[in-house]
Amino acid sequence: MPYTTADITFADRRDAGERLADMLVEAQWTDPLVLGLARGGVPVADAVADRLDGELDVLVARKIAAPGQPEFGVGAVTAEGPAYFHEDTLRRLGLTPSDLAAATATERAEARRRVRHYHQGREHIPRHGRDVLVVDDGLATGVTATAALRAVAEDAPRRVVFAAPVCAPESADRLRHEADDVVCLATPEGFGAVGMWYRDFHQTTDERVVSLLEAARGRTLGE
């Protein structure tokens, strides 16, 4: 069960990852693979992977926005997995997945482009039969996390867990239908936005993601 408190604040994503790892290290993991949701989830995931002696990889999920409302996500898609749409939101807006086919294709293409850039020509690390932890810097609406978890499920992991330092309570509850477990350090009422819970929440760059993946690969190979 997540630890619930309304007054938790993180210095930055590394601090959040280390504190999240303090909770996760108490569990037993089989061949753990930690997937950071790009971009902001990767520094958090890096701290978790380091503590769990697990491999680190990146997972890209792109929000699918409502027509004319670029900030209003009604679904999400990854590079290869099935698109996810929030059905209640679609009904409320009078939309169907077919209405969003062009937007879905655009976002999937961007997800694939980013994956190629982050992996620098390498394949993603195999997920089959492993404990896979999908890590983000926070859980707000949950649309990108849901798409990410469904994509991972396609690869038949042994277990899939979503973990984040801070989560909107209702989103964490919904996500429990998608993962074997959902781990949140805090599920505060009046969640607001993820950035409210960080003192330093500057944007993670693509270059930072690539750097963290390269460093983690070096650790794994003993370089």
Side-chain angles (χ1 to χ4, degrees):
M1 295 294 292
Y3 173 67
T4 303
T5 180
D7 59 0
I8 193 166
T9 304
F10 306 103
D12 54 21
R13 290 180 177 87
R14 182 72 192 188
D15 173 53
E18 289 173 349
R19 293 164 71 178
L20 184 61
D22 286 342
M23 175 179 283
L24 293 169
V25 77
E26 298 298 324
Q28 296 294 317
W29 303 100
T30 298
D31 196 14
L33 171 62
V34 184
L35 303 179
L37 272 173
R39 290 178 292 201
V42 178
V44 183
D46 180 59
V48 170
D50 192 17
R51 183 72 179 280
L52 299 184
D53 291 324
E55 289 186 278
L56 175 70
D57 206 349
V58 64
L59 186 57
V60 180
R62 297 283 299 173
K63 178 177 64 180
I64 301 169
Q69 302 180 68
E71 298 304 316
F72 183 27
V74 297
V77 68
T78 62
E80 303 300 336
Y84 163 73
F85 296 97
H86 192 275
E87 295 295 338
D88 289 344
T89 302
L90 290 187
R91 281 194 294 271
R92 190 167 67 250
L93 297 177
L95 296 170
T96 68
S98 296
D99 296 327
L100 299 165
T104 301
T106 297
E107 297 302 341
R108 190 185 295 279
E110 175 61 15
R112 288 174 173 169
R113 184 196 70 79
R114 291 195 182 203
V115 167
R116 288 194 298 272
H117 177 63
Y118 296 149
H119 281 164
Q120 301 286 288
R122 290 186 292 273
E123 295 295 322
H124 73 69
I125 298 172
R127 305 165 185 169
H128 178 79
R130 309 180 67 169
D131 284 351
V132 178
L133 295 88
V134 177
V135 175
D136 206 354
D137 53 13
L139 179 70
T141 65
V143 291
T144 54
T146 299
L149 290 166
R150 292 186 179 187
V152 171
E154 294 284 302
D155 291 330
R158 175 182 178 274
R159 180 167 56 138
V160 60
V161 173
F162 178 85
V166 61
C167 304
E170 62 279 7
S171 297
D173 287 343
R174 284 196 300 269
L175 212 61
R176 295 182 197 286
H177 299 289
E178 305 291 340
D180 294 301
D181 196 8
V182 175
V183 179
C184 303
L185 282 177
T187 52
E189 297 297 333
F191 175 83
V194 173
M196 289 173 52
W197 306 96
Y198 287 81
R199 291 194 293 276
D200 178 355
F201 198 66
H202 69 273
Q203 187 177 69
T204 303
T205 65
D206 287 339
E207 292 72 22
R208 178 64 172 157
V209 171
V210 172
S211 175
L212 288 169
L213 292 173
E214 290 287 348
R217 183 170 178 267
R219 291 196 304 267
T220 300
L221 297 175
E223 297 175 357

